[in-house]
Amino acid sequence: MRSTVKAEGVLELSLVSIPTPEPGPDEVVVRVEAAPLNPSDLGLLFASAEPAAMQAATGADGLPVVRASLSPEAMRGLASRLDQAMPVGNEGAGVVIAAGSGNNAQALLGKTVSIIGGATYSQYRVMHFGQCQPLPEGTTPAEGASWFVNPMTALGMIETMRREGHSALVHTAAASNLGQMLVKACLADDVQLVNIVRKAEQAATLRALGAKYVCDSSSPAFMDELVEALAATSATIAFDAIGGGKLASQILTAMEIAASRKMDAFSRYGSSTFKQVYIYGMLDRSPTTLHRNFGFSWAVSGWLLTPFLQKAGGETVGKLRARVANELKTTFASTYARHISLREALDPKVIAAYGKQATGEKYLITPHV
Amino acid sequence: MRSTVKAEGVLELSLVSIPTPEPGPDEVVVRVEAAPLNPSDLGLLFASAEPAAMQAATGADGLPVVRASLSPEAMRGLASRLDQAMPVGNEGAGVVIAAGSGNNAQALLGKTVSIIGGATYSQYRVMHFGQCQPLPEGTTPAEGASWFVNPMTALGMIETMRREGHSALVHTAAASNLGQMLVKACLADDVQLVNIVRKAEQAATLRALGAKYVCDSSSPAFMDELVEALAATSATIAFDAIGGGKLASQILTAMEIAASRKMDAFSRYGSSTFKQVYIYGMLDRSPTTLHRNFGFSWAVSGWLLTPFLQKAGGETVGKLRARVANELKTTFASTYARHISLREALDPKVIAAYGKQATGEKYLITPHV
């Protein structure tokens, strides 16, 4: 599958048929059996086009093509990908059906593996052995498809919390697949977690998983409940998937109120408790508004998985990957609303459905079905 | 001088007459000759009251008293200082007229010293020897009064830039006393500095000091000029005195545009160049609005001098203090619009003037005139 931003202001999604290259000595050929449609994939796939506006066209060889127009503002931010047919799909899982001559590649032959590294919305993918994680006996490709982006992000949040000297954390859009994994991982690790959701039924989902602190931002009592949860947990770091609006600011304000309860003297510079909000998602693309009534000991920053993993180093990453592989049926289990073929993934009606990115409505591509 | 927030919702500023205590072995008595009215002092002095609204009342012993009412919202943030008569004035300079028995205290006897540590809007002040910095022969108290808050902040910014791996910096409200010091300190240290001012005449002031990059945020070409200055200097850290509005966001956007010119491949997560804006002032108390079109490698954080100095440690602080003392007539020279007495500092008309905090309109209190 390819996503192309054309110079005339059109986004085109298409399927192309290309020969599978011979693997090099350290490479393997993976028959891709399953690959999830993550928000991070949809960003690359749709550029800034409206998913519901995609219209079917006729492609070469009877392969599907869909197109939508891009606004001039959107085009300005896309200059560096003009007229490049970009392969899509960050992760997935499948079976190693051929391997290069090297020992590491040969060791994977016949194995079911999870993969990371792009272009996974393909039927076959040649990859370096290091991009493959062998799965335990009995774990299927569908179970292993969402092994990296969400699970490693959840573990990366806990790891970041520890490395930066915090002892409990906050997560927003907490009912997502990722959020549910984080609830389970925090329970396993005995880390206190404050979950922020946007609907009452999402709170119930998380409580059923064992979440102790769930605050519903649509409730009139939200700020009071958040302050109490922060005071109880001493959480001073938050990971925010939403980004826009006032939620990051509300979290910092509530952290400051919780921190100032422990102060015995007035300081007009606020508490000395350092409060961090990391924005890692873009569910709301509107501006972030900070009402700076939380002193001077705070930061709002961007957070991305890849730079975190680079900083953490190979040994840590290896440990985290192995943990995920072993817990794919429990802590890191994903659920999908629907399995779709590559052709269905380019059907305008199906695109409109998965393009909504509704919580609990994640799709899985099964390229050989 | 005292600032008191009364439970009934009134701010009261007053002068009180108290005996000067005997100095302990490590303490000295300083006859305060000069103390500046810094923005940080005015914050404590006025709580959230409107300076122009202060009205004269009659105090005990014929000493002046002025009062203003505080809004219920303001009162909520002031609960922890209710009915405490808080002494005002962070820094100043004077002459040591008595000293405790310890060697360090005795060594200061008769010396002209700069002081730091609160309650400097006083005629006499007992201080630990460590809060005093002896001034070079020929430096007057008026020249040494603004030795800490602004100069140490300017040097703290350069030091923070170096410690956090940046090579050039951005400063806003750059025509302030502090901004002018920073221009001179950066020239002396061969550090590239991008100055952002709000008026054309302020740009001229800074250029006259030798500033190479000055961008006027009131100019229609502001963003273009800022991008060019950031591209030329590779500045990736900014110190923002304003806080509210969109300036912090504009700086991050301009840094990202400058950084992306050096990229050869598209990344929808933006550049990997880390971009930092520190908000250290509150000239605009309105919300900070971040239009997150600058990727994920960024942070907006609060910055305060005191925690920075604690982190930097005693040896660094000692070096910075000694540098300031030696350059009080050059790099760290302050200019004042007016010298006023303690009584004048509580005159409603004078309060209305210095309460405006206009750039270039700083006042100096001379408590014995």
Side-chain angles (χ1 to χ4, degrees), chain A residues 10-167:
Chain A
V10 169
L11 170 73
E12 182 177 286
L13 310 183
S14 58
L15 293 182
V16 292
S17 186
I18 52 168
T20 303
E22 283 298 306
D26 286 335
E27 292 180 329
V28 297
V29 180
V30 179
R31 182 185 143 107
V32 182
E33 301 290 350
L37 282 150
N38 291 315
S40 50
D41 298 309
L42 300 184
L44 179 63
L45 192 62
F46 293 123
S48 307
E50 183 54 55
M54 301 295 305
Q55 297 201 323
T58 315
D61 313 324
L63 290 170
V65 171
V66 288
R67 296 199 181 96
S69 59
L70 289 161
S71 70
E73 302 82 60
M75 287 299 289
R76 269 205 288 282
L78 297 165
S80 54
R81 58 171 285 195
L82 275 196
D83 293 324
Q84 299 166 51
M86 305 191 81
V88 194
N90 279 309
E91 64 181 342
V95 177
V96 176
I97 58 165
S101 55
N103 288 342
N104 287 313
Q106 282 293 319
L108 292 173
L109 195 55
K111 292 251 166 76
T112 297
V113 294
S114 288
I115 57 176
I116 181 71
T120 59
Y121 300 167
S122 305
Q123 292 190 314
Y124 298 92
R125 181 75 172 81
V126 174
M127 311 208 85
H128 188 272
F129 70 83
Q131 296 174 287
C132 304
Q133 174 73 36
L135 295 178
E137 198 71 36
T139 300
T140 67
E143 289 166 338
S146 291
W147 75 294
F148 201 90
V149 178
N150 280 342
M152 293 295 274
T153 299
L155 294 179
M157 289 173 180
I158 297 174
E159 192 74 16
T160 299
M161 174 201 81
R162 291 195 179 115
R163 284 170 184 244
E164 299 184 1
H166 305 269
S167 59

Side-chain angles (χ1 to χ4, degrees), chain A residues 40 43-44 80-81 243-244 266 268-269 279-280 282 284 286-292 296 298-302 304, chain B residues 40 43-44 80-81 243-244 266 268-269 279-280 282 284 286-292 296 298-304:
Chain A
S40 50
L44 179 63
S80 54
R81 58 171 285 195
F266 171 75
R268 49 171 224 95
Y269 297 115
I279 294 178
Y280 76 95
M282 283 265 194
D284 179 349
S286 74
T288 312
T289 307
L290 305 175
H291 296 261
R292 303 179 319 288
F296 279 87
W298 60 274
V300 177
S301 321
L304 275 183
Chain B
S40 50
L44 178 62
S80 53
R81 59 171 284 196
F266 171 76
R268 51 171 221 92
Y269 297 114
I279 294 178
Y280 75 95
M282 283 265 194
D284 179 349
S286 74
T288 312
T289 306
L290 304 176
H291 296 261
R292 303 179 319 287
F296 279 88
W298 60 275
V300 177
S301 321
W303 192 90
L304 275 183

Side-chain angles (χ1 to χ4, degrees), chain B residues 18 32 52 74 78 80 95 106 111 120 140 144 149 154 170 178 185 198 222 228 230 241 262 268 312 325 355 362:
Chain B
I18 52 168
V32 182
L78 297 165
S80 53
V95 176
Q106 282 293 320
K111 293 252 165 76
T120 58
T140 67
V149 178
V170 179
L178 167 59
R198 290 174 287 180
F222 172 60
E228 293 311 320
L230 294 172
K262 295 169 194 157
R268 51 171 221 92
K362 190 164 176 169

